[in-house]
């Protein structure tokens, strides 16, 4: 075991856990004051629910040996952590330079934040209980298989060794598994859920942008754990991922506010915060595969394209309330595609089209299509089932009075007592 | 001249403003209040302690108008604010002796 | 010296320091708006006061060699850091894989947050100066001895080697030293201080739950330093403690809101945040001694029992304003007891009753009784003395106008200028 | 390569990045509610702008080989990262125990926060576009040379080896480069910009001290990365820097509120938060050179002297809105001077006057004078040029309506919808 | 009919509401205000700069009542709001010409 | 007696208070409102969606005065609040039937 690697991955796990509170604030600041707690809660609860689903079954589906060599799903060797659950220390196997349990917990943090990302789309109108059921199912049925396909020895990440022909796509820290997955799921869920009362007719403003801005800051901070931790070592690859992450985030934020300046005449704080996240999303799949200046190009593309993608929901009339599709699905696609161009074997072992391997671009395209279609369809089915059984949506009266009071019997702020 | 005060549901404010503008009103002032009335409040629960909160968030609007416009203002508010459920609120009409526009010093109806 | 261990422990020290601001927000959001600064201040000031008391004498009382071999108190070898104070670098001794000064500073962070925890109980009515005096004394007279007894070679942690018969209790990261200690002290202090004006007659609501929720997120993040850092190494033990911490926190939060759902019909955001903390508290003594699924059981117990314990203050009529007793004392006891059942030698070197060592449960019981009694009595005496001399409480008029204006001449929020 | 060092420096880089959001909150809470977003934005934008300037040219000017051996400026070997930019992994050179790219990114975080520090001085009245242009220029023309002089082999840090006679001053983590530099620049900028409308005639109060207090907490947390990371290793030097940082911050905060108590009869929360920052600033140049108790003395001096320095702006009538001069310039000077007295070769390799090397004090004095004069003059010139061309200041009407609406078309808070 | 306005100490609000309800009042509206009067304000200190803040947080309540109930309302507020110290506040009585209940369109006393 | 209400720009509040005090007024109450009038609102933009926000932050002050002082109060507010640009606000004068000082029970002019 290497104590340096272990120290770094423990630190990264903590950083990635911290991203979920950061995301909660990022989203929470953008909703109206009467829904702030409901928004925070929909994020925080993922830290409870997914911890349980992951420990019980998700980790096993994603990362224990491939069941039947099909490349489709993990076997159940680690169901309830398997022999590691009750009564045997999980922490001492050091096959890869750090204890197994570090990998388990690092991956758990990814499994938590992915469904939390979706919550931005359904803000201000979804029932809490239905949300809990949704993320429990989704984390097992959608997230775990996708993680297996891409990272767990499944058919997307592999080129061979699986019964299904391997796609051979690469995804450093979760462009497919986390962002495209969450973004496509958000779209499906929103289509079933329908728009908020007053969408496009009333002024619906963020109630506290300082919260949102703080959330973006925490996300940036935590994202170093997400991306540089995905090197699974404290080494040059981690350092490169760290640097590319920083560059993409900074450039994307600038690109976003510049786009605003051009289109609306004013750079906004929310735009800067959004650009940070767009850049972080886009560099996620690429962080360990591209060199620093190409990361800047990815950031630039993410800032401009995600900003433009904000119009999608107005064009196609779906109330993706906090723009999960525009930022995470589109941002993830930007990164996963450009990676197919800019990846370079000297950095991360794989060349992209610019460095002579045009087929890598194709692999990325195929993987994106699979991820979008699978996530969208599976989520749509889950959403319909929950809608028909428990109902997805609060009543009109509850929506109007606000979810904080009606779902949680609390008020976000009582500033004048 | 009259001062017309209405206690309304917050989510009707923008529509009422638009309706009043169409009816010829050139200004109004709105503030947040806590309303107590027939409409039931709600329960809040913090760490197991339940509180009955009897006040509801409402908006209070205040419009200074010429006598001739007053009936229109009242009926406009009535129609736009009405949802038909309890808590739609009330309108009060007070006599107004004088108005001054600060910028110009105009008085009375001219100041409106 | 091992750079990996050193890196990890430095990181953990920073994380534990960050818990005190997190705690400040957690508490600060729960008080009324006119007392928010006074609440924040009572936490932050611990970062100043205890830094001084710890450097001057606390560390020496707790962790320099046992005075006279009685197992009662440290000698004064490190008074004012001893030879390490002025003029000799403290950082280069690497006896245990990391510099001595890392251990000193890591332990300092624990010494800071423990009295800060107490501040939740005395919210909205205690004088600031008296609080400063209280924590200065308490950190020396109550905290340092307790730390010595449990961790510094004293009679609670040892089975032999001390004149006093050793109890042989185990406490991984501070169930006794930190949480039970703070909780029992909170109870004593509150009994001397009396309830807030309007307690049980007026509506006293949290003024900003988003602050509280953010605080809980920071606490969760920082607690990885607290618990996994207590392995004092970047190794499998740290990884296990990290994983058990995550599981207990997640499960306890779910258990708490489920209890709320059953008892009141609504899960609350404050409940989820409280459940997080309860789970973290309960796993603290156990983190390095139990396996992952048993950590889930501890979390479950903590969520349900701490939620139920909220009623204690109404039953026995003491205004423990932010429930330090229910969360920290009761939560700490839950963890310290269950540890006596679930501990397993394969994990942390000690077996509990379930693994054949029934006497360990007894040891835990005895240690809890000692901790509660000592902390309660000593704190009560300190509180009475301060009350008789400087007075503990602000005037009625000050309490009504709010402590921010009256004690600190500031306002928390001026949002409309 | 040493994985422990690498893990620690990656962690520290993330911590230092996180300081900028912390600083944004620290400042953002202190302005009026109608300017909060503009304040946050002026900080956050540094994370975008300086990332670009640093990668393109700043790093090269500061840290590639000295151009011509004059000790004045770096050569352009790393312009746009040189051969490391597109297409060659930057992370694998492990000459010094960690990848080069780690050093690059760690230093980038310093280059970001330094201009962000200045933003406190120009709060509530400076144009956003002018600010962006200002920090872009300043980071290249003022920051990079200063970093080169002190840390990059230039004439301030060296005693010989440069054509210009070396000053031989020491600066562990940026007393000269960061704090005195930012403080002197703040003064220059404010003199060109002029005071806010209503300064000294109206009540201008912080709109949300909880934000400020949280910001101070994040700063404290992140500062461990700043100071202990500046050891560039996970070793005893880092541990010593960590400990001295903690002590100075705690003592300075206490000293500040004690001064308040004496002068105004009330300790304030803002005072405690300010004292924290003052202590952190003052220990920055000294952290790796002095022993723990001397760090306490530095903290004490910083708390008292920076508090007193608040009066400077009233005495000399410049509206340094959030006291960048009093906290950063004065605090930095306190630390850089006392370091000349208390430094000790056994700790950091250099003796100060108290340990027999009186000339070190002189060296510190000279370095401070150079830093203040250079930064002040260069900044003044930049400010004048921007003022004459784009204008530095918003219109009176914009200032009165608030910068959030007028510059960014957003509102910080919409709490009642 | 009358509109009765009272400026009171915030911490008396709930008791006044309960007392008024008992006295037969079916509704009221309350808002936060800053009050300036004989009661002294306070000092605030930020980084060594001291400010005299002359405004104090008060609550303004507004009750629409029938003439017959007005004296009871006034005396109820008086008794419940009084603590005997300066700053207890004031009650103002204004003539009220008309009231409308928005939900039903009722007017005058029926609307109360 | 009169109740004088003024809708003013927030940044004039302290000066108006000082001027009124000098003019002999012993108390006033101020609250935050959203004003709609001839003065244009502003645009807000959130993620590319532009909103016209027609309400502007204003302060509403309320002064209870004796008839004899009323003209002075009106002219004092007028002069102090005026900046000459649109949005300076309005003053309304209402008849006031009675005033009670809660602390002492004094009534009418004595209560002011
Ligand atoms: N007598 C009153 N005086 C002042 N405000 C009142 C009065 N009665 C009602 N209100 C205001 O009107 C709002 C709605 O009144 P309520 O009785 O709940 O419903 P409705 O107007 O439909 O009968 C209240 O929340 C309160 O703000
Ligand atoms: N002339 C006035 N006009 C409007 N409000 C007033 C007036 N005088 C007092 N008030 C309100 O009543 C509150 C209490 O008044 P104050 O003079 O301080 O005490 P008291 O009412 O006990 O004499 C003030 O804070 C203010 O809100
Ligand atoms: N008829 C009205 N009724 C109530 N308030 C009004 C009325 N007209 C204006 N106001 C208030 O006065 C403020 C200023 O009015 P506005 O028409 O914008 O400028 P001006 O007073 O200079 O003509 C408004 O924002 C609103 O608060």
């Amino acid at each position: 075991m290497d104590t340096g690697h272990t120290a770094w991955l423990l630190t990264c796990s903590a950083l990635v856990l911290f991203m979920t509170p950061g995301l909660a604030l990022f989203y929470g600041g953008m909703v109206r004051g009467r829904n702030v707690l409901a928004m925070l809660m929909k994020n925080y609860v993922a830290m409870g629910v997914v911890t349980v689903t992951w420990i019980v079954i998700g980790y096993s589906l994603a990362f224990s040996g491939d069941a039947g060599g099909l490349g489709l799903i993990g076997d159940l060797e680690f169901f309830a952590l398997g022999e590691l659950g009750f009564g045997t220390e999980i922490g001492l196997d050091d096959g890869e330079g750090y204890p197994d349990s570090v990998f388990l917990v690092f991956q758990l943090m990814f499994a938590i934040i992915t469904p939390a990302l979706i919550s931005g789309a359904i803000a201000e109108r979804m029932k809490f209980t239905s949300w809990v059921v949704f993320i429990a199912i989704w984390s097992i049925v959608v997230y775990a298989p996708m993680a297996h396909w891409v990272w767990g020895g499944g058919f997307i990440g592999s080129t061979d060794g699986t019964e299904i022909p391997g796609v051979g796509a690469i995804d450093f820290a979760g462009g497919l598994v986390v962002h495209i997955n969450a973004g496509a799921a958000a779209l499906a869920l929103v289509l079933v859920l329908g728009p908020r009362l007053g969408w496009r007719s009333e002024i619906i403003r963020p109630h506290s942008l300082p919260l949102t801005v703080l959330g973006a800051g925490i996300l940036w901070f935590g994202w170093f754990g997400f991306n540089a931790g995905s090197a699974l070592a404290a080494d040059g690859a981690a350092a490169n991922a760290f640097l590319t992450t920083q560059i993409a985030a900074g450039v994307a934020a600038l690109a976003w506010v510049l786009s605003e300046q051009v289109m609306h005449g004013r750079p906004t704080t929310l735009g800067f915060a959004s650009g940070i996240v767009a850049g972080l999303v886009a560099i996620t799949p690429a962080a360990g595969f591209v060199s620093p200046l190409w990361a800047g190009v990815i950031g630039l593309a993410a800032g401009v394209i995600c900003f433009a993608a904000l119009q999608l929901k107005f064009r196609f009339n779906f109330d993706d309330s906090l723009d999960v599709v525009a930022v995470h699905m589109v941002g993830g696609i930007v990164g996963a595609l450009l990676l197919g161009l800019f990846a370079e074997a000297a950095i991360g072992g794989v060349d992209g089209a610019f460095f002579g391997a045009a087929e890598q671009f194709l692999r990325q395209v195929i993987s994106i299509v699979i991820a979008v279609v699978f996530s969208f369809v599976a989520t749509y089915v889950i959403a319909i089932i929950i809608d028909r059984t428990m109902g997805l949506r609060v009543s009109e009266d509850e929506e109007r009075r606000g979810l904080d009071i009606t779902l949680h019997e609390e008020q976000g702020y009582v500033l004048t007592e | 001249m009259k001062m017309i005060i209405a206690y309304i549901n917050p989510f009707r404010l923008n529509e009422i403003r638009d309706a009043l503008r169409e009816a010829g009103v050139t200004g109004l002032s709105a503030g947040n209040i806590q309303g107590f009335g027939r409409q039931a409040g709600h329960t809040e629960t913090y760490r197991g302690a339940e509180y009955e909160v009897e006040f509801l968030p409402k908006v209070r609007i205040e419009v200074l108008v010429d006598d001739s416009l007053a009936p229109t203002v009242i009926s406009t508010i009535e129609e736009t604010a009405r949802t038909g459920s309890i808590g739609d609120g009330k309108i009060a009409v007070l006599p107004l002796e004088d108005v001054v526009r600060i910028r110009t010093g105009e008085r009375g109806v001219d100041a409106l």
Side-chain angles (χ1 to χ4, degrees), chain A residues 138-316:
Chain A
W138 195 88
S139 73
I140 297 168
V141 173
V142 182
Y143 183 84
M146 188 86 86
H148 182 75
W149 299 346
V150 178
W151 292 330
F155 75 98
I156 294 184
S158 316
T159 37
D160 50 22
T162 57
E163 296 285 322
I164 294 181
V167 175
I170 51 178
D171 182 8
F172 193 70
L176 295 164
V177 179
V178 175
H179 296 289
I180 295 175
N181 196 0
L187 183 59
L189 191 51
V190 157
L191 292 179
V192 181
L193 191 63
R196 286 167 293 177
L197 293 177
W199 188 58
R200 306 192 77 164
S201 64
E202 288 168 26
I203 297 183
I204 303 188
R205 290 183 285 184
H207 88 285
S208 173
L209 285 180
L211 272 195
T212 295
V213 169
L214 167 57
I218 292 176
L219 284 171
W220 193 332
F221 174 55
W223 221 293
F224 290 123
F226 204 88
N227 284 1
S230 290
L232 297 175
D235 61 3
N240 188 71
F242 195 111
L243 178 56
T244 55
T245 299
Q246 172 70 17
I247 292 175
V251 172
L254 289 179
W256 187 299
V257 291
L258 225 78
S259 305
E260 287 187 323
Q261 178 75 43
V262 170
M263 303 298 292
H264 301 283
R266 287 281 180 280
T268 70
T269 316
L270 179 56
F272 198 87
S274 307
I276 289 170
V277 177
L280 292 167
V281 166
I283 198 63
T284 293
F289 294 117
V290 301
S291 61
L293 294 194
W294 287 119
V297 175
I298 292 176
L300 188 68
V304 174
I305 295 173
C306 292
F307 173 73
L310 291 175
Q311 299 309 318
L312 287 174
K313 68 178 181 183
F314 297 114
R315 191 89 24 119
F316 297 102

Side-chain angles (χ1 to χ4, degrees), chain A residues 1 3-4 6-7 10-11 13-15 17-18 21 25 37 40-41 44-45 47-49 51 55 80-81 84-92 99 101-102 104-105 108-109 112 128 214 221 406-415 417:
Chain A
M1 206 191 63
T3 59
T6 305
L10 289 172
T11 303
S13 301
L15 285 170
L17 182 278
F18 195 38
L25 299 184
L37 299 179
L40 297 176
M41 188 73 161
Y44 268 62
V45 79
M47 299 196 290
V49 171
T51 296
I55 294 298
L81 303 184
L84 309 169
F86 284 108
T88 309
E89 182 166 14
I90 189 177
L92 289 180
S101 49
V102 177
L104 166 75
V105 88
L108 163 57
M109 303 318 189
I112 286 171
F128 176 66
L214 167 57
F221 174 55
T406 55
L407 298 186
H408 305 299
E409 291 191 342
E410 295 167 290
Q411 281 195 48
Y413 307 94
V414 183
L415 292 176
E417 262 179 14

Side-chain angles (χ1 to χ4, degrees), chain B residues 72-102:
Chain B
T72 321
V73 167
I74 295 171
S75 61
T76 304
I77 297 178
E78 236 187 296
E79 284 155 26
T80 328
R82 185 180 292 151
T83 68
S85 26
I86 202 163
D88 276 352
K90 290 187 166 40
I91 304 171
V93 185
L94 277 76
L96 174 64
E97 292 189 355
D98 201 1
V99 179
V100 182
R101 165 171 289 128
I102 291 170

Side-chain angles (χ1 to χ4, degrees), chain B residues 55-75:
Chain B
F55 284 108
L56 290 165
K58 299 277 171 185
V59 163
R60 175 185 185 279
I61 64 178
E62 206 165 72
V63 197
L64 311 174
V65 284
D66 186 20
D67 290 324
S68 62
L69 200 57
T72 321
V73 167
I74 295 171
S75 61

